[in-house]
Amino acid sequence: MTVAVMVKVFDGIVLATDSATTLALDNGSAQVYNSADKLFNLHRDLPIAAMCWGRGQIGPASIATLAKTLRSELMGLEPEDTNPIDSTSYTVREVAERASAMLQERINLLEDGGQGGELGLLVAGYGSGSDKSEAWLLVLENKQDDPPAPVCVAEPDAFGWIAYAQPIATQRLFNGIDPIMHGQLLQVLPEEHHEVVKDVLDAHQMQPAVPAMPFPDAIGLAKFLVEVTKGFSHFLPGPDTVGGPIEVAGVNRHEGFKWIERKHYFPQSLNRRP
């Protein structure tokens, strides 16, 4: 499990994730690793990013490796690729569709039918010529003939925050309740009370992300939401399913994709680019 957070304001989109990934073992136990990569720049010269959660690999390949292969394809760097993205006329939806097709193709090659759990992927950023960001969601799991169509979860004029994978801590913090608890509450209450419950909950929801929030504060909010979930997971019984270093990236119209916090498996001093 994991947590993956998006904060969207007028100045751009912030993505933040933890680094924990849980591997189910044959003996029924689980091993948690705290160094998984879940946040990616999908084109080095364009303001497009992605983050993932759920299953950490397709076959032997990690989602991080597949995301970097997709980046090479979108940039036209793969030897066999003849269809790089057109930097003058692309859309974020188009990039999400390319991601869906590539990942579904990999799942369809698996002998086990793709049985490895659900993979969530959020593709976010700016289309060419657009001054407003947007985000599209993909959910993949088993073999199927057609790749799933991306769903827009943040339209250009939308703002706010969304937490994926393990959203309960943040939902309870700002909404007062999470959807699972809400559903169970409605099951035990007479139907004539459902509208009153909805009105009360709606009146007490809090929205910390507003359109005019400065981008550095949106960055701080995204990191805080991951930290809250990380602490929430740590102090519950059982393994820390959210943990490891927090990674944060911002995408806006003028600066493009920028890493805010990032882990490295190598010493940066020994790997300077010329």
Side-chain angles (χ1 to χ4, degrees):
M1 293 296 289
T2 185
V3 65
V5 170
M6 177 188 73
V7 175
K8 186 176 184 297
V9 296
F10 182 83
D11 285 348
I13 284 180
V14 183
L15 304 179
T17 71
D18 72 324
S19 296
T21 184
T22 305
L23 179 65
L25 304 178
D26 293 337
N27 61 7
S29 62
Q31 174 68 48
V32 178
Y33 296 100
N34 284 315
S35 55
D37 293 324
K38 307 173 187 179
L39 182 53
F40 322 102
N41 178 205
L42 291 184
H43 196 294
R44 295 198 185 279
D45 301 317
L46 298 175
I48 315 170
M51 66 179 179
C52 66
W53 57 92
R55 67 189 294 172
Q57 71 283 325
I58 297 177
S62 69
I63 303 303
T65 292
L66 295 175
K68 293 171 185 176
T69 300
L70 174 63
R71 179 173 64 200
S72 294
E73 292 178 0
L74 294 174
M75 295 178 67
L77 302 179
E78 289 292 302
E80 69 278 8
D81 183 64
T82 58
N83 188 29
I85 193 170
D86 185 347
S87 62
T88 65
S89 62
Y90 74 92
T91 65
V92 180
R93 178 175 183 172
E94 176 189 351
V95 175
E97 289 172 342
R98 290 279 296 270
S100 182
M102 185 260 208
L103 294 171
Q104 187 64 58
E105 181 181 10
R106 296 298 183 108
I107 290 175
N108 289 346
L109 293 174
L110 299 177
E111 294 182 357
D112 65 359
Q115 302 297 323
E118 186 176 275
L119 167 63
L121 186 80
L122 188 77
V123 178
Y126 292 78
S128 61
S130 176
D131 62 353
K132 296 180 180 179
S133 60
E134 55 192 275
W136 293 78
L137 174 66
L138 297 172
V139 179
L140 304 99
E141 188 168 6
N142 300 321
K143 284 186 178 181
Q144 58 184 58
D145 293 334
D146 298 317
V151 176
C152 186
V153 293
E155 296 181 351
D157 289 321
F159 68 94
W161 64 272
I162 306 175
Y164 293 100
Q166 290 184 249
I168 291 178
T170 53
Q171 289 170 341
R172 291 187 180 184
L173 179 63
F174 288 111
N175 298 338
I177 194 171
D178 64 81
I180 296 175
M181 186 188 300
H182 187 192
Q184 293 176 343
L185 181 63
L186 295 182
Q187 286 181 1
V188 299
L189 288 175
E191 188 172 349
E192 60 266 25
H193 296 320
H194 289 189
E195 193 64 31
V196 175
V197 170
K198 179 181 182 300
D199 291 342
V200 171
L201 293 176
D202 288 347
H204 288 83
Q205 285 188 5
M206 299 179 181
Q207 177 53 268
V210 298
M213 172 182 274
F215 204 53
D217 291 287
I219 291 168
L221 174 61
K223 183 178 179 182
F224 169 72
L225 294 174
V226 176
E227 289 173 337
V228 165
T229 308
K230 187 175 177 180
F232 183 83
S233 171
H234 176 71
F235 290 106
L236 288 176
D240 290 356
T241 54
V242 179
I246 295 174
E247 295 197 307
V248 186
V251 185
N252 64 34
R253 179 188 177 194
H254 298 288
E255 281 78 39
F257 179 97
K258 295 292 183 184
W259 283 106
I260 312 302
E261 293 192 22
R262 186 186 187 188
K263 63 182 179 295
H264 290 281
Y265 64 87
F266 53 84
Q268 288 180 269
S269 60
L270 301 179
N271 293 273
R272 299 294 185 184
R273 289 188 176 184

